[in-house]
Amino acid sequence: MKVSNDIVMTYLVETDGSLTDLATKIASDQSTGTFVPLPGETPELKARVAAKVLEMRELASASVPSFPQGKPAGTVYKRAEVDIAFPFEAIGYDLAALMTIVVGGVYSIRGFTGIRVVGMALPDGFTRAYPGPQFGVRGSRALTGVFDRPLIGTIIKPALGLRPHETAEIVKELIESGVDFIKDDEKLCSPPYSSVKDRVKAIMPLIKDHEQKTGKKVMYAFNINHIDLDEMMRNHDIVAAEGGNAAVININSIGQGAFLALRKRSQLALHAHRNGWDILTRHPGLGMSFSVYQQFWRLLGVDQFQINGIASKYWEPDDSFVASFHDLTETMASEREQPMPVVCSGQWGGQAPETYARTGQTLDHLYLCGGGVVSHPGGPAAGVRAVQQAWQATREGIGLDEYAKTHRELREALDKFGALGE
Amino acid sequence: MKVSNDIVMTYLVETDGSLTDLATKIASDQSTGTFVPLPGETPELKARVAAKVLEMRELASASVPSFPQGKPAGTVYKRAEVDIAFPFEAIGYDLAALMTIVVGGVYSIRGFTGIRVVGMALPDGFTRAYPGPQFGVRGSRALTGVFDRPLIGTIIKPALGLRPHETAEIVKELIESGVDFIKDDEKLCSPPYSSVKDRVKAIMPLIKDHEQKTGKKVMYAFNINHIDLDEMMRNHDIVAAEGGNAAVININSIGQGAFLALRKRSQLALHAHRNGWDILTRHPGLGMSFSVYQQFWRLLGVDQFQINGIASKYWEPDDSFVASFHDLTETMASEREQPMPVVCSGQWGGQAPETYARTGQTLDHLYLCGGGVVSHPGGPAAGVRAVQQAWQATREGIGLDEYAKTHRELREALDKFGALGE
């Protein structure tokens, strides 16, 4: 589908009007046109910057419009996938310009009853113009020293309310359980009762002490998020100065420009939480697919990307998670490092066999459990061991029930959490 | 509705399950909870940070779900508005934390068939913790010297493709027409054929020359947008160094963090284009209303806010534009300056009387016409005069057709553009 130096976008369009007219309108509105013909719009200018409709593939029509229309029942809403080529010359390497031209403006066009951005093929140069992941899969493995299985991680719970010394007590127990990765909840930024500085002071000595004794350095992702970039960089520097090596970023809440500014100076593995993303993808006829969204963020430098998991606690169906996993493992042209998928939400180990089977039997991910670890009947450390056991069984091709006969923590997890999902 | 120091959010929720359960779930998930009860979730901790459902107002139910469900026809989707209070203590003054907790996470909750954020009441302190508009209504008037009518502005068209010297030719003609404000198209960022630097060099001498001769300084908003904040700041500095006083920012494309970083150093009036926003508001059961969205951006410092207009070329109905105008003119507590509404999209002067009537007969806005000026039969300068005449007639309470009898440019505009809308 990629054409020379063009940026080729694919849109799922829906209308009770003319599909062809709307496809042409995207190309015109998003390059040279406005609502009336213009004197300066010469053929030479158009040849240089005008977008072109390459192909339209009509799909089955719909009887219910994606945007409510208040039209009589029986109205037919035609649907198609449309490929449109935007000349590189019209955009340049600026992802903000790209977002405005090929995404932002399109959502405003009148006449659509549905519009979703479902594909984006960038010229190779884009990948070289952006930093990409600094750590990604290889760096995350190198920093944790875990090479032959998924990284196993957990989240401090409750999400909000713990003071730094209370957090540290939980961290101490988790570290001793052999966990590879711990993160602050995405909702715990730097509220008055628990600043990043105080959390770092309470937690990093425990991480370093454990490293001294065992050689194992647990990766702790501090939530350094802040709308004020200066404040976020100060948080970053506090973590780095105390020997921390990771940070949680709510990528949609700070936005792409602030994320790139952070990435350019970052010494930390950047763990992306995509809260807010759901509203852009949950309606299948509207918004944007993850395959497009993730391209922006991996160019900008996300190292670890949360994408939910099998039987997550959120709305997202398993198939959607599986597709996201494959999107992240597909290589972008000229890419130096790949981001590490983070399998998460409602995970406790019971989903290990299906996760493994449906993600191409790869072990290259971070398997992240919050409540599924913290509320294990034997406590958080037993929760971590149960997850480790689930992945050990999965790698060896042994059923979880079978493995649980000789592994108490897994048995207890199956008894407690297995029952929840039934 | 505001309760002491709480942040009170209002959600439009829709479900074929229990409204009460879902309201409770928002409060729980977005503060202390996860998918299982937790050992550390003590009553004391909950009292400090837990969100609370204040009130639920049930609305008429829907027969079609906002998110498609694949359920049998006849399924009833209950709807309600729910007020939820989040303790300030749980969030602090960080807008990124606020976005994650009260907006981002909510969209992911399972069980909703529709979810829209429709209200937000912040404690006064929030307004004092952010810079807000640097220029806003008063500053935009002071910089242009226009006090007794709307600022009249135009946009360089075609959107893409003109080289700086071609742009300058159009600017020269527009300046001489008496226009108050000119802007780059939001899609023209800094592509290879027209860098900001080259545009500033080609355009600012014309603005300054006109100021020398007439005392009138046209406000030119250069599109300084860039995903790389350093690059955007360099663009900002180029504009400021050459005596420019405004900039176009694609606020969603760069994101909130980068915008605040720009605002903290900015010497320019920041003119916000909200492309991308439509997908968050176009479906009435999903996303976010402008009344909430605009609060974030005016805290961060938008000076001039594009909100479409009457009979715009986009999807947005007139009522939605009118509501947005009123949102922007409603004062936030402790606010120092108010942003200037920018009435735009498909405007040419013909909408002046209705705009005036439906916005409380205020003249405090920037009335922005692109194609409606540039493709006037008499050329762009005649286009500007036609718009000036339309507003002059409106202020004097004279019908446009009547006024056009003695004003040729308005007559020509009515003949050409009036016919388009019929």
Side-chain angles (χ1 to χ4, degrees):
Chain A
M1 199 180 70
K2 193 177 293 184
V3 179
S4 66
N5 209 23
D6 288 348
I7 294 154
V8 180
M9 302 298 300
T10 304
Y11 303 94
L12 173 63
V13 300
E14 178 196 294
T15 183
D16 60 333
S18 158
L19 286 168
T20 311
D21 286 357
L22 273 177
T24 310
K25 195 167 166 54
I26 295 178
S28 163
D29 274 20
Q30 295 316 108
S31 52
T32 60
T34 180
F35 75 111
V36 283
L38 294 168
E41 218 180 344
T42 61
E44 184 269 337
L45 177 146
K46 280 205 163 189
R48 194 148 37 89
V49 297
K52 290 173 210 67
V53 178
L54 298 182
E55 192 182 299
M56 190 164 82
R57 296 173 294 280
E58 207 157 334
L59 305 172
S61 62
S63 57
V64 176
S66 294
F67 293 127
Q69 300 295 311
K71 292 194 176 169
T75 305
V76 172
Y77 300 94
K78 295 177 286 272
R79 300 190 318 137
E81 275 190 3
V82 183
D83 299 333
I84 297 182
F86 295 81
F88 172 79
E89 176 79 1
I91 297 174
Y93 284 123
D94 175 11
L95 283 180
L98 181 74
M99 183 62 89
T100 287
I101 294 171
V102 306
V103 179
V106 178
Y107 292 142
S108 65
I109 295 174
R110 180 192 291 190
F112 287 125
T113 64
I115 173 75
R116 184 175 173 94
V117 183
V118 296
M120 177 167 77
L122 297 173
D124 291 2
F126 258 87
T127 320
R128 286 189 295 268
Y130 285 87
Q134 181 173 192
F135 297 98
V137 172
R138 289 189 300 180
S140 298
R141 286 203 176 285
L143 286 171
T144 53
V146 175
F147 298 97
D148 57 349
R149 55 174 177 77
L151 272 61
I152 291 173
T154 187
I155 309 161
I156 300 294
K157 298 283 177 185
L160 295 182
L162 296 174
R163 295 196 181 86
H165 71 275
E166 295 163 325
T167 306
E169 283 168 32
I170 299 177
V171 170
K172 196 168 189 327
E173 186 178 349
L174 289 168
I175 290 174
E176 285 162 8
S177 73
V179 78
D180 307 311
F181 174 96
I182 307 174
K183 69 177 271 289
D184 286 335
D185 193 275
E186 78 280 0
K187 291 183 280 296
L188 181 71
C189 297
S190 209
Y193 66 87
S194 177
S195 70
V196 172
K197 189 174 180 181
D198 290 344
R199 288 206 300 282
V200 169
K201 276 191 188 164
I203 291 166
M204 281 312 298
L206 304 175
I207 305 268
K208 289 190 281 193
D209 185 55
H210 185 73
E211 185 187 8
Q212 284 286 340
K213 287 178 185 155
T214 66
K216 182 176 175 69
K217 182 168 188 175
V218 174
M219 178 179 272
Y220 193 104
F222 290 93
N223 185 339
I224 65 169
N225 230 62
H226 204 287
I227 193 65
D228 187 322
L229 184 58
D230 295 332
E231 194 69 39
M232 185 161 66
M233 286 310 310
R234 274 192 288 274
N235 288 340
H236 166 278
D237 294 348
I238 290 167
V239 173
E242 295 299 323
N245 55 19
V248 178
I249 308 294
N250 296 321
I251 55 177
N252 300 304
S253 298
I254 65 163
Q256 297 196 348
F259 184 83
L260 179 60
L262 169 65
R263 167 64 182 88
K264 283 172 70 180
R265 271 188 56 193
S266 176
Q267 304 169 47
L268 310 175
L270 301 177
H271 179 105
H273 195 288
R274 61 177 183 178
N275 61 82
W277 155 245
D278 305 80
I279 202 67
L280 277 178
T281 205
R282 193 165 169 173
H283 191 305
L286 304 177
M288 192 189 285
S289 68
F290 186 74
S291 63
V292 176
Y293 175 80
Q294 57 99 20
Q295 291 188 53
F296 283 90
W297 290 104
R298 66 203 277 185
L299 287 170
L300 295 170
V302 164
D303 288 302
Q304 302 171 348
F305 215 141
Q306 287 207 8
I307 52 169
N308 289 335
I310 297 293
S312 88
K313 65 179 175 177
Y314 299 127
W315 70 275
E316 193 175 21
D318 293 352
D319 287 352
S320 175
F321 150 68
V322 171
S324 299
F325 196 104
H326 289 298
D327 288 334
L328 283 185
T329 51
E330 207 167 86
T331 309
M332 289 179 81
S334 317
E335 193 170 48
R336 285 154 291 201
E337 293 294 337
Q338 282 196 290
M340 178 169 257
V342 180
V343 180
C344 56
S345 173
Q347 303 299 302
W348 54 274
Q351 301 99 323
E354 188 173 346
T355 304
Y356 187 61
R358 297 191 65 185
T359 57
Q361 302 199 326
T362 177
L363 298 168
D364 279 339
H365 62 86
L366 164 53
Y367 189 79
L368 187 62
C369 311
V373 155
V374 180
S375 67
H376 187 282
V384 170
R385 284 190 294 275
V387 178
Q388 292 167 334
Q389 291 160 9
W391 276 101
Q392 187 63 29
T394 299
R395 283 170 60 206
E396 296 179 13
I398 302 170
L400 297 190
D401 279 319
E402 182 62 27
Y403 205 76
K405 287 177 184 165
T406 51
H407 295 85
R408 188 169 55 86
E409 292 89 349
L410 180 57
R411 179 73 268 152
E412 288 169 354
L414 286 166
D415 290 345
K416 177 165 184 178
F417 304 122
L420 289 177
E422 279 158 17
Chain B
M1 200 180 67
K2 195 177 290 185
V3 179
S4 68
N5 209 23
D6 288 347
I7 294 153
V8 180
M9 302 298 300
T10 304
Y11 303 93
L12 172 63
V13 300
E14 177 197 295
T15 182
D16 60 334
S18 159
L19 286 168
T20 311
D21 286 358
L22 274 177
T24 311
K25 195 167 167 54
I26 293 178
S28 163
D29 275 20
Q30 294 316 106
S31 54
T32 60
T34 179
F35 74 111
V36 284
L38 294 167
E41 220 180 342
T42 61
E44 185 268 337
L45 176 146
K46 279 204 165 192
R48 193 149 36 90
V49 297
K52 290 174 211 64
V53 178
L54 296 182
E55 192 182 299
M56 189 163 83
R57 297 174 292 281
E58 206 156 335
L59 305 173
S61 62
S63 57
V64 175
S66 295
F67 294 127
Q69 299 295 312
K71 291 192 176 170
T75 305
V76 171
Y77 300 94
K78 296 178 285 274
R79 300 189 319 136
E81 275 190 3
V82 184
D83 298 334
I84 298 182
F86 295 82
F88 172 79
E89 175 80 359
I91 295 174
Y93 284 124
D94 176 12
L95 283 181
L98 181 73
M99 184 60 89
T100 288
I101 293 172
V102 306
V103 179
V106 178
Y107 292 142
S108 65
I109 296 174
R110 181 193 289 190
F112 287 126
T113 65
I115 174 74
R116 184 175 173 94
V117 183
V118 296
M120 177 166 78
L122 298 173
D124 292 2
F126 258 88
T127 319
R128 286 189 294 269
Y130 285 88
Q134 182 174 191
F135 297 96
V137 172
R138 288 189 299 180
S140 297
R141 286 204 176 284
L143 286 171
T144 53
V146 176
F147 298 96
D148 57 349
R149 55 174 176 78
L151 271 60
I152 291 173
T154 187
I155 310 161
I156 301 294
K157 299 281 177 187
L160 296 182
L162 296 174
R163 297 198 179 84
H165 70 275
E166 295 163 326
T167 306
E169 283 167 31
I170 299 176
V171 170
K172 194 167 189 333
E173 185 177 351
L174 289 168
I175 290 174
E176 284 161 8
S177 72
V179 78
D180 306 311
F181 173 96
I182 307 173
K183 69 176 271 290
D184 287 334
D185 193 275
E186 79 280 1
K187 291 184 281 296
L188 182 72
C189 297
S190 209
Y193 66 87
S194 178
S195 71
V196 172
K197 189 174 179 181
D198 290 344
R199 287 205 301 281
V200 170
K201 276 192 188 163
I203 291 166
M204 280 313 298
L206 304 175
I207 306 269
K208 288 190 283 192
D209 185 56
H210 185 73
E211 186 187 8
Q212 283 286 341
K213 287 179 185 152
T214 66
K216 180 176 177 68
K217 183 167 188 175
V218 175
M219 178 179 273
Y220 193 104
F222 290 93
N223 184 340
I224 65 169
N225 231 62
H226 203 286
I227 193 66
D228 185 323
L229 183 58
D230 295 331
E231 193 71 39
M232 185 161 66
M233 286 310 310
R234 272 192 290 273
N235 288 341
H236 167 278
D237 294 348
I238 290 168
V239 174
E242 295 298 323
N245 56 17
V248 179
I249 308 294
N250 296 321
I251 55 177
N252 300 304
S253 298
I254 66 164
Q256 298 194 347
F259 185 83
L260 180 60
L262 169 66
R263 167 66 182 88
K264 283 173 69 179
R265 271 188 55 194
S266 177
Q267 303 170 46
L268 309 176
L270 300 177
H271 179 105
H273 194 287
R274 61 178 183 177
N275 61 81
W277 155 246
D278 304 80
I279 201 68
L280 277 177
T281 205
R282 193 165 169 174
H283 191 304
L286 304 177
M288 191 189 286
S289 67
F290 185 74
S291 62
V292 176
Y293 175 80
Q294 57 98 20
Q295 291 188 53
F296 283 90
W297 289 105
R298 67 202 274 187
L299 287 170
L300 294 170
V302 164
D303 288 301
Q304 302 171 346
F305 214 141
Q306 287 207 7
I307 52 169
N308 290 334
I310 298 292
S312 88
K313 65 178 175 175
Y314 300 127
W315 70 276
E316 192 174 22
D318 293 351
D319 288 351
S320 175
F321 151 69
V322 171
S324 299
F325 196 104
H326 289 298
D327 289 334
L328 284 185
T329 51
E330 208 166 86
T331 308
M332 289 179 81
S334 315
E335 194 170 44
R336 284 153 293 199
E337 293 294 337
Q338 281 198 294
M340 177 168 258
V342 180
V343 180
C344 55
S345 175
Q347 303 300 302
W348 54 274
Q351 302 100 324
E354 188 171 348
T355 304
Y356 188 62
R358 297 191 65 184
T359 57
Q361 302 198 326
T362 177
L363 298 169
D364 278 340
H365 61 85
L366 165 54
Y367 189 78
L368 187 62
C369 312
V373 155
V374 181
S375 66
H376 187 282
V384 169
R385 283 190 294 274
V387 178
Q388 291 167 336
Q389 291 160 10
W391 275 100
Q392 187 62 32
T394 299
R395 283 170 60 205
E396 296 179 14
I398 303 170
L400 297 190
D401 279 319
E402 181 63 26
Y403 205 76
K405 286 179 184 163
T406 50
H407 293 84
R408 187 168 56 87
E409 292 89 349
L410 180 57
R411 179 73 268 152
E412 289 169 352
L414 286 167
D415 290 345
K416 176 164 185 178
F417 304 122
L420 288 178
E422 280 159 17

